Amino acid sequence: RYTLGFLRARLEEAGVEAELREVEPREPVRLGKRFTAEAVRVTHSVPDAVGFAVGTPEGTVVHTGDFKLDPDPIDAKHTDLERLGELGEQGVLCLLSDSTNSEVPTETPSERVVAETFARLFPQLTGRIVVALFASNINRVHHLLELAERLGRKVALLGRSMVRNVETARELGVLKAPPGLLVSVEAAGALPPSQLLVLTTGSQAEPRSGLSALAAGGEGPIRLQPGDTVVFSSSPIPGNERAVGTLIDDLLWRGARVLYNRVEPGLHVSGHASQPQQRRMLEHVRPRHFLPVHGELRHLTRHLELARETGMAPERLLLARDGDVVAFRDGRGGLEGTVPTGRIYQERSSSLPVGLDVIGERVRLAESGLLVAVVVIDRSNNALMTGPALTGHGLSAEELAALTRVADEARTSFLALSPALRGDDALVKDELARAVRRAHRQLTGKRPWVLPLVVKV
């Protein structure tokens, strides 16, 4: 129900009609004549997370989705190891399991750790408290709202996705807030700092997020000041470390105190199973084949090593990348070819896709600029009347200053063409572009995109 609530809002926003059907864990749904799908409850950082047991003519395939084994989840909904064990008893053809934390050797802590850290820390803070977290982490938002109420703080939401997710969760009854607890950003700006808690997006340093706006010090009802505390209740996604570090520096420059897991442990726990929990999943399901999913290649290969340590035969361990087709026949599984996968780019002004070749041209234009080269040829005898005349777009001052010399060098090369060859328009364009490009590279070391134009009079 929770997932469909978010999906419904997105579909309405995009103007897409769809038939949505709610399913409950442990209630199989028939898909056509040969397949079934049964949701299996798992614990994650979002409510109502599930994996799936898919019944196929070849056997049952279990996909965990994102999961962890939390002994004391905020919503009291544990990963259904009992049902997963039953499926293992019946026989599972293949397990696809979350590999995100396969490099972590210790137990993934409970979400309760974060709640206890906030409860210990927040009463000591006197200024505004700004907590940056994923907008989808509604369980964490839940205990932040409860804590704010106990401390007598109002709560303001920053960031479009944060506002939308909290509104949707409240409409579905997943999240409750007493009247008057949530206030608008405008009203929040007038509150004393000690009476305000701000929940914001931007924990990954997204450029247009609420936290980035605060760090930039732009105009707005809420502006950071000395005495305020910013809490990062997340860990940087691999690849975002530098951007997050820069954001922390910007927040410190504003005079705020900044707390994150490295300086204050317990501000964030992962929503993904670590090695001990991944091992227990493998031991409960006891699959015939194992295919690790979710994470980088290093996470997948480490998860395969873990499966091997549990006693699975090497020939039962599968490794696939995006686009690989994994097929099962007569109890045996393996890779069988690939299918296209990846991003599909679309123009803002239409629904038509844009090919990678077009994207490549645009990137090159942005990086190198454009040089338009025009020559005028006498139609009667193919003599060069004038040119090449060069016009630069997106070029540096150095390149623009060199255009006269580039034109002279290109003209010398172009005049080497015989009058007969100058009668071939396609050849003339190719040679013009080649001559201009060569001269420009020799004089400046740069290679702009050259657009040749031939005018015959």
Side-chain angles (χ1 to χ4, degrees):
R1 180 168 175 261
Y2 179 75
T3 305
L4 293 184
F6 279 92
L7 178 59
R8 186 176 291 107
R10 291 296 184 94
L11 293 176
E12 290 174 355
E13 187 178 277
V16 176
E17 294 185 3
E19 181 183 356
L20 305 181
R21 302 183 186 182
E22 185 178 331
V23 299
E24 289 291 336
R26 294 200 176 206
E27 294 182 3
V29 176
R30 181 159 293 282
L31 308 173
K33 296 181 179 179
R34 308 181 69 196
F35 295 86
T36 60
E38 176 188 340
V40 180
R41 177 80 64 196
V42 297
T43 303
H44 186 48
S45 55
V46 298
D48 285 351
V50 295
F52 279 95
V54 181
T56 81
E58 291 290 326
T60 300
V61 175
V62 173
H63 193 305
T64 67
D66 289 341
F67 84 98
K68 65 189 277 188
L69 304 182
D70 191 331
D72 188 18
I74 293 292
D75 58 5
K77 295 179 179 178
H78 297 77
T79 296
D80 194 350
L81 289 176
E82 180 183 358
R83 179 57 183 147
L84 290 165
E86 292 173 355
L87 291 167
E89 289 286 347
Q90 297 164 10
V92 171
L93 175 66
C94 184
L95 170 66
L96 288 72
S97 187
D98 177 10
S99 305
T100 309
N101 274 352
S102 62
E103 295 176 323
V104 180
T106 56
E107 289 278 351
T108 301
S110 170
E111 180 66 22
R112 293 284 178 188
V113 171
V114 180
E116 292 166 1
T117 301
F118 287 163
R120 171 181 56 80
L121 185 65
F122 284 15
Q124 306 170 24
L125 306 178
T126 56
R128 290 188 190 90
I129 302 174
V130 179
V131 180
L133 70 164
F134 289 113
S136 60
N137 198 337
I138 295 298
N139 287 336
R140 195 164 297 173
V141 171
H142 170 75
H143 61 68
L144 281 167
L145 294 183
E146 287 187 337
L147 181 58
E149 184 183 13
R150 292 201 303 271
L151 297 176
R153 288 181 180 261
K154 302 295 185 181
V155 179
L157 307 176
L158 274 184
R160 183 184 177 195
S161 59
M162 181 66 72
V163 173
R164 181 178 57 211
N165 285 16
V166 169
E167 287 179 351
T168 302
R170 293 183 69 192
E171 291 170 1
L172 296 171
V174 176
L175 191 65
K176 292 180 173 60
L181 179 65
L182 294 171
V183 297
S184 67
V185 172
E186 290 72 24
L191 289 173
S194 61
Q195 295 179 16
L196 182 63
L197 169 65
V198 179
L199 305 185
T200 182
T201 57
S203 63
Q204 300 302 310
E206 297 90 334
R208 293 187 293 175
S209 65
L211 188 58
S212 291
L214 290 178
E219 296 297 326
I222 302 176
R223 305 187 70 179
L224 289 177
Q225 59 190 36
D228 292 346
T229 300
V230 178
V231 176
F232 280 78
S233 189
S234 65
S235 296
I237 294 173
N240 288 357
E241 293 89 352
R242 178 174 294 181
V244 172
T246 300
L247 177 60
I248 291 174
D249 289 346
D250 291 341
L251 292 165
L252 291 169
W253 186 254
R254 294 287 162 198
R257 179 187 182 191
V258 183
L259 302 177
Y260 44 96
N261 247 16
R262 189 174 297 176
V263 298
E264 187 68 47
L267 293 174
H268 173 68
V269 297
S270 176
H272 302 273
S274 55
Q275 288 179 15
Q277 299 178 1
Q278 291 170 344
R279 180 187 296 272
R280 292 206 290 278
M281 177 64 71
L282 284 160
E283 291 171 347
H284 271 77
V285 178
R286 301 188 299 283
R288 182 174 176 82
H289 297 85
F290 175 59
L291 176 65
V293 293
H294 300 186
E296 306 296 334
L297 185 59
R298 66 180 187 272
H299 302 123
L300 305 182
T301 54
R302 182 64 191 92
H303 207 170
L304 285 176
E305 291 175 14
L306 184 66
R308 190 178 296 111
E309 292 169 8
T310 67
M312 290 194 68
E315 63 270 18
R316 305 295 185 188
L317 305 178
L318 306 171
L319 179 63
R321 286 182 161 181
D322 291 349
D324 287 340
V325 176
V326 182
F328 295 94
R329 291 184 179 84
D330 301 323
R332 296 178 178 273
L335 302 183
E336 293 190 9
T338 60
V339 294
T341 185
R343 296 178 184 269
I344 296 177
Y345 296 91
Q346 180 178 310
E347 294 280 11
R348 284 183 181 271
S349 57
S350 74
S351 59
L352 298 176
V354 182
L356 289 178
D357 53 340
V358 176
I359 297 295
E361 289 186 3
R362 292 180 182 180
V363 170
R364 184 175 172 187
L365 283 170
E367 292 177 344
S368 306
L370 174 67
L371 194 54
V372 181
V374 183
V375 294
V376 180
I377 295 179
D378 189 327
R379 189 184 301 274
S380 64
N381 58 13
N382 293 329
L384 178 63
M385 298 179 66
T386 185
L390 304 181
T391 305
H393 300 273
L395 303 184
S396 67
E398 174 194 4
E399 291 174 276
L400 291 173
L403 288 187
T404 300
R405 287 184 296 156
V406 171
D408 291 341
E409 292 285 343
R411 180 183 177 87
T412 300
S413 297
F414 188 78
L415 287 174
L417 285 177
S418 66
L421 291 178
R422 292 182 207 146
D424 185 335
D425 287 355
L427 186 146
V428 168
K429 285 186 176 182
D430 287 345
E431 183 56 34
L432 175 60
R434 188 178 299 111
V436 170
R437 194 179 297 114
R438 184 189 309 117
H440 193 279
R441 185 176 66 251
Q442 290 173 347
L443 291 170
T444 69
K446 308 291 181 60
R447 299 186 62 182
W449 193 282
V450 178
L451 176 63
L453 299 176
V454 179
V455 180
K456 288 193 172 182
V457 295

